[in-house]
Amino acid sequence: TIDVTSGCPPDKFDELMTRLARLHACFWIRPEQGETLENLRLSSILKDRSGTLSATPGVGHNLPIEDRQASFANSWPAVRKRLLPFFRSESREYLQQLDKIVKWTAQSHRIENITNSVGEKKLTLIHGDFHVGNMLFPKLSSHEGKVWCADRNTGHNKINDGAASSRPWLVDWSMSGIGNPLIDLVFFLVVGAEVIPSNAHPDIDPVATTSKNLEKVLCQYHRTLNSSSWANSETRNEPFLGSELSSLLGPSLLSRDEMVSMFRQCLLNQFVILVCYDDLCRSLAEASPDKESKELLHSHFDRVNVRCVNMLLSEFGWREDIIL
């Protein structure tokens, strides 16, 4: 396992992004294709059993709208104060842009509209808490990088160099449900993936960023989503683990423009949730048993907020047509 505070290792980023898109494609609800397709049959089963899944999948998404409205306005000053050290003195204009975004978001019924826009896109099965801390990775042996796995017959560990043995396992589905797939993507990027937005402001100090570019990330996700369907018969019951997926028949699942719009809605929604829950997160950090753990958690929450703000400014900056 990898601690969520460590973030997603750069060498695993592309694979996890691809598997996330495949997971969403496998469970996509496509009524226009008819009930003869296997993916529709499984999607229908999921929809019929949606009562056993979360009605509002995603960490923090069950916070009532009225509570979001009040908490967002009350919590922002403290969050803003914690963000100040990440803005250089000569780049405070970007902080002013962020203030404008916050002011725009807090006005009228916009938080309600944003929440509803994200929640109404019930398109596929989403995990709701997608980050490396909820993944189990194979244990490498000292035998030329081969992988330890359990023998199905004896239950004992053995060395296996097959492709199936190197697949990660996605665990903790307590936040899962039928929902907006971009919730998973945004959460993954914000919580544990160091991504440089395509229009990132160089004056905002990045926190351990990788060379990944947000525009490329979105293209990768969109391309994989629209070129992946079911895994082969061997891995059909394990869509997150499947290594080979056939091409979809018919039109793409999601257009590029629609995906970008949904991404921006989910990003702004995630920002609202982060602001609302920041005080709780800081309380968890303060309750840590030792100074090192406390500092590690505070640092993690800082990096999460900075990543979200960096992407937010990249996608919106400040313009009058910020409407999603």
Side-chain angles (χ1 to χ4, degrees):
T1 61
I2 300 174
D3 193 289
V4 65
T5 60
S6 301
C8 177
D11 63 340
K12 296 186 182 298
F13 183 89
D14 287 335
E15 177 191 7
L16 296 180
M17 279 287 301
T18 297
R19 293 189 183 280
L20 177 62
R22 286 172 172 171
L23 169 68
H24 292 156
C26 280
F27 292 97
W28 203 271
I29 299 174
R30 304 182 68 197
E32 76 282 0
Q33 291 295 309
E35 296 196 9
T36 57
L37 292 179
E38 289 179 290
N39 64 335
L40 177 59
R41 288 204 295 268
L42 184 51
S43 297
S44 298
I45 292 172
L46 286 172
K47 193 170 183 179
D48 291 340
R49 298 182 181 179
S50 60
T52 62
L53 301 171
S54 174
T56 52
V59 175
H61 285 255
N62 61 345
L63 184 65
I65 292 175
E66 57 273 17
D67 292 344
R68 294 189 191 204
Q69 195 79 40
S71 182
F72 182 73
N74 294 333
S75 301
W76 170 242
V79 175
R80 186 184 189 277
K81 184 177 180 180
R82 294 188 183 103
L83 285 169
L84 278 174
F86 297 95
F87 286 81
R88 297 172 184 168
S89 58
E90 65 271 20
S91 64
R92 294 299 169 86
E93 62 180 285
Y94 298 120
L95 186 59
Q96 295 172 359
Q97 291 180 357
L98 183 60
D99 286 334
K100 290 180 179 180
I101 293 175
V102 169
K103 182 178 179 181
W104 181 92
T105 303
Q107 288 178 352
S108 187
H109 299 288
R110 282 176 178 152
I111 288 181
E112 179 180 2
N113 293 338
I114 293 165
T115 303
N116 291 337
S117 295
V118 170
E120 69 186 10
K121 301 291 194 306
K122 297 185 180 298
L123 303 177
T124 186
L125 175 69
I126 69 172
H127 181 266
D129 195 9
F130 191 85
H131 59 75
V132 291
N134 280 333
M135 298 175 197
L136 302 178
F137 295 92
K139 180 179 179 181
L140 292 176
S141 74
S142 59
H143 297 267
E144 301 178 353
K146 295 183 180 181
V147 178
W148 284 108
C149 67
D151 186 289
R152 292 187 178 182
N153 297 320
T154 66
H156 299 303
N157 286 337
K158 67 176 183 178
I159 295 175
N160 190 322
D161 58 354
S165 63
S166 64
R167 299 168 187 158
W169 288 82
L170 184 59
V171 298
D172 189 0
W173 290 78
S174 60
M175 296 291 176
S176 65
I178 306 299
N180 188 324
L182 276 300
I183 289 175
D184 277 344
L185 178 59
V186 167
F187 193 79
F188 177 58
L189 298 180
V190 167
V191 170
E194 309 291 357
V195 176
I196 300 177
S198 53
N199 299 313
H201 298 294
D203 293 323
I204 300 176
D205 294 336
V207 183
T209 55
T210 69
S211 61
K212 280 296 175 184
N213 174 290
L214 183 56
E215 184 177 356
K216 292 181 179 179
V217 168
L218 293 178
C219 286
Q220 177 187 349
Y221 174 83
H222 183 253
R223 181 175 59 251
T224 306
L225 179 72
N226 288 321
S227 64
S228 301
S229 180
W230 279 98
N232 56 38
S233 58
E234 181 182 353
T235 59
R236 185 162 293 171
N237 294 324
E238 300 174 321
F240 182 71
L241 312 179
S243 58
E244 296 181 359
L245 297 170
S246 60
S247 297
L248 280 169
L249 299 176
S252 63
L253 297 179
L254 208 58
S255 71
R256 166 77 179 178
D257 289 345
E258 187 177 9
M259 182 205 65
V260 170
S261 177
M262 289 169 58
F263 176 81
R264 289 175 174 173
Q265 291 168 356
C266 288
L267 179 60
L268 192 51
N269 190 57
Q270 184 64 59
F271 174 67
V272 171
I273 292 173
L274 287 177
V275 171
C276 290
Y277 279 99
D278 189 73
D279 189 57
L280 175 61
C281 291
R282 303 299 172 167
S283 298
L284 293 175
E286 289 296 322
S288 299
D290 54 73
K291 182 179 179 181
E292 183 179 357
S293 299
K294 179 169 70 173
E295 291 178 350
L296 179 63
L297 279 178
H298 276 302
S299 176
H300 170 64
F301 296 137
D302 285 337
R303 294 197 306 272
V304 169
N305 288 344
V306 168
R307 278 193 291 267
C308 189
V309 164
N310 208 9
M311 286 192 284
L312 198 66
L313 287 172
S314 171
E315 287 300 298
F316 296 115
W318 171 252
R319 55 182 196 268
E320 295 300 326
D321 62 338
I322 191 175
I323 191 70
L324 302 174

